[in-house]
Amino acid sequence: MALSLKKYWRTLVTILIILVAFGFFWLWATNQPVKEKNQLTYGLTFSPLNLKEMNLDWHAAYTEMLDDLKVKKLRLVAYWPTVEAEKDKFTFTDIDWQIEEAQKRDAKVILAVGSRLPRWPECHYPEWTKNQEKTKTNQELLSYLEQTIKRYDSNPTIEAWQIENEPFLFGFGECPKLDKKFLDEEIALAKKLSKKPIIITDSGELSLWVPAAKRADIFGTSIYRHTYSQLLNRYITYPLTPNFFKAKTKITKLLTKIDKIIVIELQAEPWGREAYYKLSPQERNQTMNMAKFKENIEFSRQGGFDTFYLWGIEWWYWEKITNHNDSYWQYAKEIFAQSL
């Protein structure tokens, strides 16, 4: 009996020590100053894909974005099927135009390259790569990367390269299994061709960050608070607080050499069971409305970050043009007016 009681107290003391240690760890991990609003930088991602699907003029949307919203930080996407629709025939017309228009207005650009890039189906391959051996496709992908990076490396408008998009996020998009060795080849090629920083991104809620961050000069996380879960077949809100991201940032910096962590995708559009322009207003409101938009902006600031690329310009434009609702557009305009 005395032995059992002694074992009980040892177990209790061990649990208390673990709880106290975790408490100190949590205080350390979340002890990160929150930036004042006048210290924050906001940009956005622009993709023509959804605008084309909605039969909207993406050139007009892009120009209005630059001239009316006056955004100065952009993430643009050099989709492989657009750049090399025919094998060995490289056409940079679309991305040339976007970069030139940004340059005219003194905006800076992160250029995303690779096969896994923003917007559904996430992985974007030219038609001519179908039924091709993986090793052959990989070599063709490296050729496209080389052509793209060489074309824009000397352009001062390009301030960083993003290699692939959330490559470590498992089970999302119509994508092949991640080949880490080949991802490292892509990164090595970019570093060989350019001195500009390499950005690697990962999911804020669903990934560990460390495998991506240890490969990056700048690490970019996404933040999606309200989404539709295919697995659960219902709409969900992640039960996370800003301290979750503070702790994740501290742990990632502790385990890697990464110094700069930014929010590369901050949810500012609906994320439903299908494309937002196919949903009813009521269903769109479940994952994004004005209140949620403002909450996401403040939530991400409380997470300790200071640089944010909003995700949703195409939706704001669609709401403005199609539904005559410019409230999201005007709110974004206020945000960019205050941005550093």
Side-chain angles (χ1 to χ4, degrees):
M1 180 69 179
L3 185 62
S4 297
L5 187 61
K6 188 176 182 180
K7 185 177 180 181
Y8 167 80
W9 281 111
R10 282 180 177 175
T11 302
L12 182 60
V13 169
T14 300
I15 292 172
L16 287 174
I17 290 172
I18 291 172
L19 288 174
V20 170
F22 179 78
F24 279 114
F25 168 79
W26 187 253
L27 288 173
W28 168 81
T30 57
N31 184 22
Q32 182 176 326
V34 175
K35 300 287 185 180
E36 296 295 330
K37 292 183 179 180
N38 61 0
Q39 298 175 306
L40 307 181
T41 299
Y42 287 94
L44 54 77
T45 298
F46 180 88
S47 167
L49 296 188
N50 274 21
L51 293 163
K52 290 178 180 178
E53 290 172 4
M54 297 183 289
N55 295 315
L56 294 174
D57 184 342
W58 71 265
H59 290 86
Y62 187 80
T63 303
E64 191 165 351
M65 172 194 75
L66 291 172
D67 290 340
D68 191 33
L69 296 184
K70 300 188 185 304
V71 61
K72 296 298 183 182
K73 293 283 189 178
L74 297 170
R75 179 174 63 153
L76 302 180
V77 189
Y79 292 107
W80 187 13
T82 302
V83 169
E84 194 181 3
E86 294 183 53
K87 186 177 181 301
D88 296 329
K89 293 184 179 180
F90 295 93
T91 304
F92 293 94
T93 306
D94 287 353
I95 198 68
D96 274 354
W97 182 82
Q98 292 174 63
I99 291 171
E100 287 167 7
E101 293 301 308
Q103 188 170 20
K104 289 176 186 177
R105 296 159 177 85
D106 298 319
K108 295 297 183 182
V109 170
I110 294 168
L111 188 60
V113 293
S115 58
R116 180 168 181 150
L117 295 174
R119 288 294 176 195
W120 194 260
E122 295 297 304
C123 286
H124 306 264
Y125 290 90
E127 285 293 321
W128 53 266
T129 63
K130 284 187 176 180
N131 304 317
Q132 193 171 245
E133 288 186 5
K134 179 183 175 183
T135 54
K136 179 64 174 173
T137 299
N138 285 351
Q139 289 306 307
E140 300 287 1
L141 176 56
L142 291 176
S143 175
Y144 138 79
L145 285 177
E146 182 171 359
Q147 291 287 334
T148 305
I149 292 172
K150 281 183 174 180
R151 185 177 186 86
Y152 299 115
D153 187 47
S154 62
N155 191 323
T157 301
I158 308 298
E159 60 180 1
W161 310 104
Q162 179 185 320
I163 307 298
E164 303 294 343
N165 189 58
E166 299 182 336
F168 292 91
L169 178 57
F170 173 76
F172 182 73
E174 299 172 2
C175 294
K177 183 180 178 181
L178 170 64
D179 182 341
K180 295 180 185 177
K181 184 178 178 182
F182 181 67
L183 174 63
D184 289 338
E185 284 186 47
E186 293 180 89
I187 295 169
L189 176 62
K191 287 181 176 290
K192 177 183 175 182
L193 296 171
S194 176
K195 301 295 185 184
K196 293 179 179 179
I198 301 298
I199 298 175
I200 306 295
T201 65
D202 212 348
S203 167
E205 296 78 18
L206 302 174
S207 296
L208 295 176
W209 288 11
V210 171
K214 73 179 184 180
R215 291 170 163 84
D217 299 313
I218 301 170
F219 173 70
T221 183
S222 60
I223 295 180
Y224 286 89
R225 300 183 62 214
H226 312 285
T227 69
Y228 179 82
S229 169
Q230 295 284 355
L231 180 64
L232 300 176
N233 193 29
R234 64 184 180 89
Y235 286 97
I236 63 169
T237 295
Y238 287 104
L240 304 173
T241 69
N243 276 343
F244 170 82
F245 288 94
K246 283 186 176 182
K248 209 168 181 181
T249 295
K250 278 280 185 72
I251 293 169
T252 301
K253 288 185 175 182
L254 181 67
L255 297 178
T256 69
K257 296 179 180 179
I258 201 72
D259 179 57
K260 188 168 181 59
I261 296 180
I262 66 175
V263 180
I264 197 69
E265 285 184 24
L266 176 56
Q267 182 188 12
E269 73 173 29
W271 194 257
R273 55 187 174 82
E274 56 182 340
Y276 53 74
Y277 55 87
K278 298 179 181 179
L279 300 174
S280 68
Q282 292 75 24
E283 196 164 359
R284 290 198 297 273
N285 284 343
Q286 291 191 63
T287 57
M288 185 53 58
N289 53 36
M290 185 56 72
K292 288 182 172 67
F293 193 163
K294 293 180 178 180
E295 286 169 6
N296 283 359
I297 295 293
E298 180 58 20
F299 178 98
S300 59
R301 185 181 76 89
Q302 293 290 335
F305 304 102
D306 61 13
T307 302
F308 316 84
Y309 285 76
L310 302 186
W311 178 263
I313 171 64
E314 300 86 3
W315 177 57
W316 314 335
Y317 188 76
W318 176 76
E319 284 281 3
K320 185 162 76 88
I321 298 298
T322 305
N323 296 329
H324 308 292
N325 171 20
D326 71 346
S327 59
Y328 300 105
W329 186 274
Q330 293 301 328
Y331 177 58
K333 188 174 180 179
E334 293 176 18
I335 293 171
F336 293 123
Q338 300 168 10
S339 179
L340 289 176

